[in-house]
């Protein structure tokens, strides 16, 4: 959802900014632009990918040691060269890049137009730089002060970065609701929406908080609040490896991330699960155990794939820990006047830790006194910091827009939480707990086994690449997997797909079934196996094409379905960790056969930092 990059230091800014934009391109890719300062302000921007921008500016004099760059995911104004960032002030001396939405931009714009400002773009972002210009002129103040005063008038979400041709030793950044990280190097600073453009230069980062303004001037970083209160920058050390944000020989990030799952789950379990010692420990959870033990319900809030992980959690926690669970779309929860009690434990799940709706839902739950236990991937993200406690999934950076390893990491953490709580509450016997610990430990190898035999999935993808619709059906633990499989296909191949609880099919979707409809059954040998066989028969009777994900050695479904994909056997409660893998691969290969851009599907953004 827009990526922003800035550099100020001794090196050439342009290559750092372009590289940073490529690293952030997963956040938005409908246009890109950069501004460099070398005496004058030079703004270059272009509709399309960062590579399109690069193509148009080759041969220009790009010498500069200070600059900003932006990759856009359009909110206000269609993607075109004019609406691309950076945007300049009327006098052409100031430039801004912005991620977020300025909600009161229309009224600000009208006031500024009355004062003679002329706008080139349809964006909300351009209004901010004109406002800063106007306030600076009227108050005859420094740029820093003008930014501060302007932000007091702005309603909405922003991460901004501003430079001025009057001072090539100064870069100003600020945030509210949209992420911003500052890399602190040796006499140089890197600004970015997340740490990925920064880590090859420095591991030392400062996360900006809401309502904070960072002023980097003459090689020094100072922080203050919008209310003019000085703040002390706290430097964190990043543990991310550079290889983790590169493709490592895979054609796409998505494929790399699918294949990383044995490792990412192992990383998630590391130090937490030691089955031989009967040990399972989540530090954040142990600190808040009383809250977990004293609540009679857990509320999960999430969006997209993370919401599907939350649905798996509903099965896990009710089944294992006998606590009632509510699963909420963050976007609905926040506007629904939900009943939230002080005893509630609210569990936001988020890969990025920056999803605006999830953050707003957390604020609401917090304001009612609930305990917030975050399950995030990105360390230091806004949701992680807004939570009272939490558990990271440690999946490493997920760059592919379609979430894969984050889902299995989330389910792994949620399964661990349910096991810990079940044991503490006595709803899970010690012997079953022990059995489940050993089984959880085998999951990475079992995923590896599925990944090693992708050929049948590729063949199915080739066969159905031209399908117009797909239906995904599952029951019990596999119902959320059906939703996730359908979402994956929609996201990257643009085929219409619906996920449904298999038994619900007869209340509607069965009307869609004919000989052209591929129906993916997630039909593993679990508690609902016999029931789902009947559902398969119902589809076959209507000539639907059955593709079934089955437990290895299942002859019965093999004889019924047109296509089967086998996965290893596991306990019911861990099945989603295995059954989702063939569906991730299926969507990937269908998209490849259809020639789709897997890592940058149209209209989507990896991190949705606007409502
Ligand atoms: C976007 C992404 C999805 C993701 C969802 C929630 O829609 O494209 O892959 O599942 O946001 O994101 P979060 O970072 O909160 O898990």
């Amino acid at each position: 959802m827009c990526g922003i990059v800035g550099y100020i230091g001794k090196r050439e800014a342009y290559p750092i900014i372009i590289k940073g934009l490529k690293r952030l391109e997963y956040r938005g890719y409908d246009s890109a632009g950069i501004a460099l300062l070398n005496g004058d302000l030079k703004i270059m921007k272009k509709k399309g990918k960062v590579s399109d921008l690069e193509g148009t500016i080759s041969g220009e004099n790009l010498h500069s040691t200070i600059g900003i760059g932006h990759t856009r995911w359009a909110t206000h104004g269609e993607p075109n060269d004019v609406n691309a960032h950076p945007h300049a002030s009327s006098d052409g001396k100031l430039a801004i890049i912005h991620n977020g939405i300025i909600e009161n931009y229309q009224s600000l714009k009208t006031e500024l137009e009355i004062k003679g400002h002329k706008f080139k773009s349809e964006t909300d972002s351009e209004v901010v730089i004109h406002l800063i210009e106007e306030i600076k002129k009227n108050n005859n103040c420094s740029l820093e002060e003008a930014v501060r005063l302007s932000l007091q008038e702005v309603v909405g979400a922003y991460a901004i970065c501003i430079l001025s041709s009057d001072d090539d030793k100064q870069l100003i950044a600020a945030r509210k609701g949209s992420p911003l990280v500052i890399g602190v190097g040796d006499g140089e600073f890197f600004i970015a929406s997340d740490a990925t453009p920064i880590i090859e230069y420095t591991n030392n980062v400062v996360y900006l908080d809401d309502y904070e303004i960072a002023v980097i001037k003459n090689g020094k970083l100072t922080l203050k609040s919008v209310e003019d209160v000085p703040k002390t920058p706290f430097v964190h050390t990043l543990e991310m490896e550079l290889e983790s944000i590169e493709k490592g020989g895979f054609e796409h990030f998505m494929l790399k991330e699918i294949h990383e799952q044995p490792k990412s789950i192992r990383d998630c379990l590391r130090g937490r699960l030691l089955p031989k010692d009967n040990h399972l420990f989540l530090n954040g959870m142990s600190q808040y155990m009383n809250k977990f033990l004293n609540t009679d319900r857990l509320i999960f809030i999430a969006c997209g794939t993370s919401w599907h992980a939350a649905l798996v959690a509903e099965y896990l926690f009710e089944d294992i820990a006998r606590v009632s669970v509510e699963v909420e779309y963050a976007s609905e929860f926040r506007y629904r006047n939900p009943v939230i009690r002080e005893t509630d434990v609210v569990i936001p799940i988020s890969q990025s830790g920056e999803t605006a709706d999830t953050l707003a839902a957390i604020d609401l739950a917090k304001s009612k006194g609930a305990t917030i236990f975050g399950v995030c991937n990105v360390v230091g993200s806004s949701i992680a910091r807004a939570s009272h406690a939490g558990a990271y999934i440690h999946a490493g950076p997920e760059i592919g827009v379609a979430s894969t390893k984050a889902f299995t990491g989330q389910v792994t953490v949620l399964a661990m939480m349910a096991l810990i709580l079940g044991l503490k509450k006595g709803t899970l016997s010690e012997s079953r707990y022990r059995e489940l610990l050993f089984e959880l430990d085998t999951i990475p190898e079992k995923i590896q086994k599925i990944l090693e035999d992708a050929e049948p999935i590729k063949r199915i993808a080739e066969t159905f690449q031209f399908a117009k619709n797909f239906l995904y059906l599952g029951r019990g633990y596999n119902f959320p997997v059906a939703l996730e499989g359908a979402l994956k296909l929609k996201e990257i191949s643009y085929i219409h797909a619906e996920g449904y609880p298999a038994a619900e099919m007869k209340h509607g979707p069965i009307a869609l079934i004919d000989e052209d409809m591929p129906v993916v059954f997630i039909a593993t040998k679990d508690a609902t196996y016999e029931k789902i066989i009947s559902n398969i028969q119902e589809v076959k009777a209507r000539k639907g094409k059955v593709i079934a994900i089955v437990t290895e050695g299942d002859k019965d479904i093999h004889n019924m379905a047109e296509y089967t994909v086998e996965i290893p056997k596991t306990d019911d409660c861990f099945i989603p960790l295995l059954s989702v893998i063939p569906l991730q691969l299926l969507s990937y290969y269908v998209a490849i056969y259809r020639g789709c851009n897997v890592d940058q599907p149209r209209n989507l953004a990896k991190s949705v930092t606007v409502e």
Side-chain angles (χ1 to χ4, degrees), residues 291-519:
K291 298 280 183 190
F292 278 95
L293 291 174
N294 293 326
T295 187
D296 57 1
R297 67 168 181 172
L298 304 174
I299 304 174
F300 288 86
I301 47 177
C303 304
T305 288
S306 300
W307 186 80
H308 296 155
L311 282 183
V312 177
E314 181 172 22
Y315 288 81
L316 284 165
F317 279 87
E318 294 197 345
D319 190 12
I320 296 171
R322 305 303 301 141
V323 57
S324 82
V325 167
E326 286 174 26
V327 178
E328 303 274 0
Y329 281 116
S331 52
E332 288 300 313
F333 181 78
R334 60 181 291 200
Y335 287 118
R336 213 192 49 220
N337 193 15
V339 177
I340 307 166
R341 300 181 294 245
E342 287 188 1
T343 51
D344 288 333
V345 177
V346 171
I347 305 179
I349 305 176
S350 175
Q351 187 287 125
S352 62
E354 302 294 346
T355 303
D357 283 321
T358 310
L359 264 169
I362 291 173
D363 285 348
L364 173 67
K366 252 181 153 176
S367 72
K368 309 271 180 198
T371 299
I372 315 293
F373 189 92
V375 176
C376 295
N377 187 30
V378 177
V379 176
S381 56
S382 303
I383 292 175
R385 286 182 295 139
S387 301
H388 296 111
Y392 284 116
I393 66 170
H394 294 309
E398 190 182 68
I399 313 278
V401 167
S403 184
T404 52
K405 64 176 179 170
F407 175 79
T408 48
Q410 290 162 345
V411 172
T412 303
V413 162
L414 296 165
M416 286 194 279
M417 289 171 64
L419 294 180
I420 291 171
L421 189 59
L423 184 74
K424 279 266 179 216
K425 289 182 72 174
T427 52
L428 182 65
S429 71
E430 295 223 4
S431 59
R432 173 117 175 90
Y433 173 78
R434 198 173 168 77
E435 195 187 316
L436 290 175
L437 295 196
F438 275 98
E439 184 53 32
L440 182 55
D441 200 41
T442 67
I443 296 295
E445 292 91 82
K446 289 180 176 172
I447 294 181
Q448 186 62 43
K449 202 168 165 209
I450 304 170
L451 293 170
E452 277 163 13
D453 191 14
E455 280 311 312
I457 304 168
K458 267 193 211 170
R459 282 197 294 275
I460 297 169
E462 189 178 8
T463 307
F464 290 102
Q465 60 180 298
F466 302 112
K468 294 212 162 36
N469 299 287
F470 260 78
L471 195 55
Y472 285 72
L473 301 173
R475 300 183 76 136
Y477 279 101
N478 279 326
F479 159 52
V481 176
L483 296 182
E484 177 59 9
L487 178 64
K488 286 292 84 96
L489 192 73
K490 274 185 277 212
E491 283 178 316
I492 59 168
S493 71
Y494 320 136
I495 295 177
H496 170 248
E498 284 207 46
Y500 243 77
E504 272 293 301
M505 171 187 67
K506 54 187 165 298
H507 300 291
I510 199 163
L512 302 172
I513 293 170
D514 60 16
E515 61 279 5
D516 295 325
M517 174 66 104
V519 183

Side-chain angles (χ1 to χ4, degrees), residues 199-220:
I199 53 164
E200 67 186 280
Y201 309 106
T202 176
N203 286 333
N204 297 325
V205 296
V206 173
Y207 294 103
L208 226 57
D209 273 326
D210 277 351
Y211 302 106
E212 277 185 356
I213 303 171
V215 179
I216 302 165
K217 198 174 167 77
N218 300 323
K220 257 193 82 197

Side-chain angles (χ1 to χ4, degrees), residues 11 180 186 228 261 334 349 567:
R11 308 187 209 204
L180 207 57
D186 182 11
D228 211 13
Q261 289 174 107
R334 60 181 291 200
I349 305 176
I567 62 170

Side-chain angles (χ1 to χ4, degrees), residues 267-287:
D267 290 345
C268 180
L269 299 175
R270 183 163 297 117
R272 293 165 161 175
L273 172 71
L274 295 166
K276 289 197 189 88
D277 300 333
N278 210 22
H279 172 91
L280 180 61
F281 184 72
L282 289 171
N283 191 30
M285 201 178 174
S286 73
Q287 287 170 18

